[in-house]
Amino acid sequence: MNQLPSPGKALTLLFTAAFLVACSGSDTKEDEAAAEAARQAEVAAAEAAREAERRAVEEVAAAEQRELEQAAMAAGTVFYFDFDSSVLKPEAQQALDAHIALLRTSDESVRLEGHTDERGTRDYNMALGERRANAVRDYMVVNGIASYRIETISYGEEKPVAYGSGEANWSQNRRVELVK
Amino acid sequence: MTTMSRVPRLAVALTLALFVPFAARAELVIEITQGVDDPTPIAVVPFAGTGAIPEDLAGVVQADLARSGQFAPVDRGDMLSLPSSEAEIFYRDWRAIDTEYLLIGRASAGEELRIDYALYDVNRQREVTTGTVTGPVNEARMLAHRVSDAIYERLTGIPGAFATRLLYVSVTRNPGGKDYYRLTLADSDGARPIVLLESREPVMAPTWAPDASQVAYVSFETGRPAIFRQDLRTGAREQLTNFRGLNSSPAWSPDGNTLALVLSKDGSPDIYLLDLASKRLKRITRHYAIDTEPTWMPDGKSLLFTSDRGGRPQIYRYNLQSGITDRVTFEGVYNARARVAQDGRNVALVHQQDGQYHIAIHDLVTERLHVLTSTDLDESPSIAPNGSMVLYATKLGDRGILSAVSVDGGVKFRLPARSGDVREPAWSTYISQ
C-alpha cells in the first residue's frame, strides 16, 4: 500500500510541473522546450494519477470481495432443518445472505443438495430432501440470484454425514449443502 | 426382542451358505426369532443320491420349512434311520421322536437333476403326497425350493414362496472414503447372491417386472437420479428417465407394459406412467403436495400412492378408469409406501406410532390396520408372492438389516448381512419354470 503512488502525491507532481512552466525564462526555444517538458510531465502525472486511481478502486473492490468471501466462508455451506420441515431457519437465512452477497459479484453456478434423516420412508424422504433444496433455491432467487445458476438435487436419506440413530445424529443429517 | 425366547427350539442361526461350496457365499445370514406356538414336527431325511449332487438338497428343504416358522424340523442327529424309499420306513423310529411328518427323497444328477420325493403321515402310517421336480443341475437349490413349496402347500393349504428370489441394496461404508452401494439378487433364503450393480453413488428402489425377468431401480451414477431397467437373462441395461429433479419409485404394472414412477420436472413430485414400448409419458397426479411411492393393485386398474396433500403422509388410491383419487388410510399421522398382496386386500405399509416407525397391514376390506412389528425405523415392506410373509428393512444397533414377519405377526426372522448395511428388499413374483 505504502509503496504505491497515492493520488495526493500525483497531484503534488502536477503542481510542481505547472509551477516550473510558469517560472520559466524568456528564451523562446528554452520556453518551448520547457513547455514541452512540462506538457509531458503533465501527461505523465495525469496518467500516474489515473493508474493510481484505478489501482485504488481495484484494491477497494478486492478488499470488498475478500470480505464477502470470508463472510461466506464463515457462514458455512450447510444449512440445517427441523424434523419433517423444509422451512428455512433464521440462522440458515443469515448464512445464505452471505452466500447471496458473494454470488451477486459473479456468474458462478451452484448446486444445492437436499438431505433428510433416516426416519420415514426412503422415497418420501427423497421428496422431502428436494423440498428443502427448493426452499433454499427459492430464497436465493427471491434475493436476486438467477434460477438458471442454481441446480438442485435430493439425496433423501441416502448420504448421511452422521451414521447412527438419535437426534444428535439426525439433526446433522437434515440439511442442504451448497456446492460450487 | 421379547419374542426371542418364546420358541428356543427355533432360535438358531442357520448359516445357509454351509452347503454351497461352488456358489458365492451368501451375504445374508438367517436367524429365526419367533415361530408359531405349536410348530409341526417334520423329519426331512437326507436324500439318497446318484451322480454328482451339488447341494445338500434335503438341508435346503429343511431350512425352508424351519424359516416358515410353522415347522419344527427334526435334527439329523436324532434320526434313528435314514430311509429313502417307503420299504425302508419304520414308523416306530419316527413316533419315538414325536415326528408327525416324514419327508424322504432320491436325487439323480445326469444331464438334468431329478428329485423324487415322498411325504408320509407318521401317525396314520400312510403316504400324503409324492412328486418329482427336474431341472438344470446348476439350479439344484431352486429345485429343492420347489420341493419345499410343494410340501408347504400340501401341509398348510397355502402355496409356498421358497422358489423365489430377492433384490436388496447393501452399502459398505468406507472410513475416510466414499461408500459403496450394491444392488444384489439372491435366492429367497439369501443364497447364491449376484451383484447386479456396484456404484459409488446411491442405488435405490429396486423392483421386479411381473414375470421376474427384469428389474428396475434408481441409480445416481450419472450424478443425478435416473431410472434404469435391467434384463436378468441378457444383462442388457436401459436408462429410462433423465429428467430434472426427482426420478424415483419405479413400479411395474401387472401386465408388464407400463412403469409407474415419480418425477418432479413439472414442479412438485407427481406420479407418471411410462409406456415401456412407446416411451410415452402420462402424468396422473397433479398436486402441489408430495405424491410418491406408487404401487399397483393386482388387477392393474388402480394405484396406491403416498401423499402429504392432507398435511401428513397417508395412502391414497388413484382409479385409472375414473381418474378419481380417494384417501385410503386414516389411522395415525404417518402411513407410507404401500405394497399390496396378490389377494388385493392386505396392504403392507410403514406406520408411525408413538414416534416409531413400524410395519403394519391395512386391510382394504375391513379398513382396519394392525401393526406387525415392535422394532423402530422399519421400512420398505415387500410381500411374498403367496401373501404369507412381509420382508422389510430395519435397524439392529447401528446396522441396517432385513427382517421378515408373517402377515399375522406370529413368525419372525432376521436376515442381517455379514458386513455392512442391507435395505430395500424386494420379493420376486413366482419364477417361471
Side-chain angles (χ1 to χ4, degrees), chain B residues 211-227:
Chain B
D211 67 355
S213 69
Q214 297 181 76
V215 299
Y217 51 83
V218 174
S219 169
F220 281 66
E221 66 197 59
T222 61
R224 309 196 309 124
I227 296 172

Side-chain angles (χ1 to χ4, degrees), chain B residues 158-340:
Chain B
I158 302 161
F162 303 109
T164 54
R165 303 179 95 180
L166 309 177
L167 291 169
Y168 57 86
V169 174
S170 56
V171 186
T172 315
R173 297 178 208 155
N174 290 312
K178 280 190 161 183
D179 296 342
Y180 268 103
Y181 300 81
R182 279 192 309 276
L183 174 63
T184 301
L185 168 70
D187 290 353
S188 69
D189 57 2
R192 303 196 300 164
I194 299 164
V195 175
L196 298 179
L197 179 71
E198 185 170 62
S199 174
R200 304 297 289 270
E201 294 296 328
V203 179
M204 292 180 72
T207 192
W208 290 92
D211 67 355
S213 69
Q214 297 181 76
V215 299
Y217 51 83
V218 174
S219 169
F220 281 66
E221 66 197 59
T222 61
R224 309 196 309 124
I227 296 172
F228 291 80
R229 71 164 156 173
Q230 196 162 331
D231 189 300
L232 295 179
R233 294 193 186 111
T234 65
R237 203 164 166 259
E238 182 187 8
Q239 183 172 344
L240 292 172
T241 68
N242 185 27
F243 292 102
R244 198 173 57 84
L246 298 182
N247 295 249
S248 70
S249 299
W252 238 292
S253 63
D255 66 8
N257 297 329
T258 308
L259 205 63
L261 46 88
V262 173
L263 303 171
S264 61
K265 66 186 183 69
D266 299 317
S268 63
D270 277 307
I271 316 286
Y272 293 73
L273 298 182
L274 176 70
D275 183 281
L276 287 166
S278 68
K279 297 289 189 294
R280 270 210 319 269
L281 199 61
K282 184 184 167 198
R283 183 176 175 182
I284 62 167
T285 68
R286 287 169 193 276
H287 202 284
Y288 55 84
I290 291 172
D291 290 342
T292 188
E293 299 170 344
T295 193
W296 295 79
M297 291 297 291
D299 64 6
K301 290 178 182 164
S302 58
L303 290 141
L304 300 185
F305 63 98
T306 308
S307 176
D308 71 344
R309 56 184 64 191
R312 301 279 299 158
Q314 294 289 350
I315 303 299
Y316 291 76
R317 180 179 183 145
Y318 177 84
N319 185 314
L320 285 162
Q321 280 152 353
S322 67
I324 292 171
T325 300
D326 59 338
R327 186 168 160 180
V328 172
T329 56
F330 292 90
E331 193 163 328
V333 295
Y334 192 112
N335 292 294
R337 200 191 178 279
R339 289 292 183 272
V340 192

Side-chain angles (χ1 to χ4, degrees), chain A residues 65-77:
Chain A
Q65 187 72 16
R66 271 198 304 278
E67 223 165 83
L68 288 174
E69 282 167 8
Q70 277 161 9
M73 197 182 287
T77 53

Side-chain angles (χ1 to χ4, degrees), chain B residues 22 52 64 93 113 116 201 211 327 357 376 427:
Chain B
F22 307 113
D64 284 344
D93 286 357
L113 180 65
D116 297 292
E201 294 296 328
D211 67 355
R327 186 168 160 180
Y357 296 85
D376 188 16
W427 207 320

Side-chain angles (χ1 to χ4, degrees), chain A residues 126-161:
Chain A
M126 285 295 292
L128 185 57
E130 181 179 68
R131 222 183 230 177
R132 285 179 179 155
N134 287 348
V136 174
R137 181 200 60 197
D138 292 349
Y139 185 80
M140 294 175 88
V141 169
V142 161
N143 286 282
I145 307 302
S147 58
Y148 66 81
R149 294 172 58 191
I150 307 167
E151 186 198 0
T152 56
I153 183 171
S154 173
Y155 285 108
E157 60 177 284
E158 306 302 310
K159 287 192 164 185
V161 286

